[in-house]
Amino acid sequence: MGNIKRMFDKAFKKQAVDLYLNGDMSYQSVADKLEIDKNQVRRWVKYFEDEGILGLEEKRGKAKGLGKGRPRTAPEDPEEKIRRLEAENEMLKKLLKM
């Protein structure tokens, strides 16, 4: 089985970012203090600098863009649907006669 990914709330991420940006602490020293990976701190700082506080929101499990979620099929033309159902009906009638 794979590793379970830890999730951190926005307040924790903001604390890590603040420690790095406001203090004389390096990525490694912030990571050591909060017991997380230094690359995680680096990512959070980058997200915060690029997007502000919204960059620290959890992004896993959220679809992006207009086509969110599973793609939908194009709606079937009503006349085409009638023809398909009539053909299906005829096939079932033939199967019942066998």
Side-chain angles (χ1 to χ4, degrees), residues 5 30 32 47 61-62 71 74 95-96:
K5 305 258 185 197
V30 172
D32 291 343
Y47 293 157
K62 294 183 180 179
L95 286 174
L96 287 173

Side-chain angles (χ1 to χ4, degrees), residues 37-90:
D37 186 62
K38 71 176 181 180
N39 292 319
Q40 189 67 62
V41 177
R42 183 177 289 129
R43 260 193 307 274
W44 293 341
V45 170
K46 181 184 181 315
Y47 293 157
F48 183 76
E49 289 174 341
D50 291 347
E51 305 172 37
I53 194 73
L54 294 177
L56 300 179
E57 289 183 358
E58 184 61 43
K59 293 178 177 70
R60 288 184 280 184
K62 294 183 180 179
K64 298 178 184 175
L66 296 175
K68 293 181 177 180
R70 188 178 294 178
R72 295 182 181 188
T73 58
E76 192 173 10
D77 178 44
E79 293 172 3
E80 179 64 33
K81 185 175 183 177
I82 291 171
R83 281 194 293 271
R84 182 179 56 80
L85 291 172
E86 286 174 345
E88 185 177 315
N89 230 357
E90 289 300 315

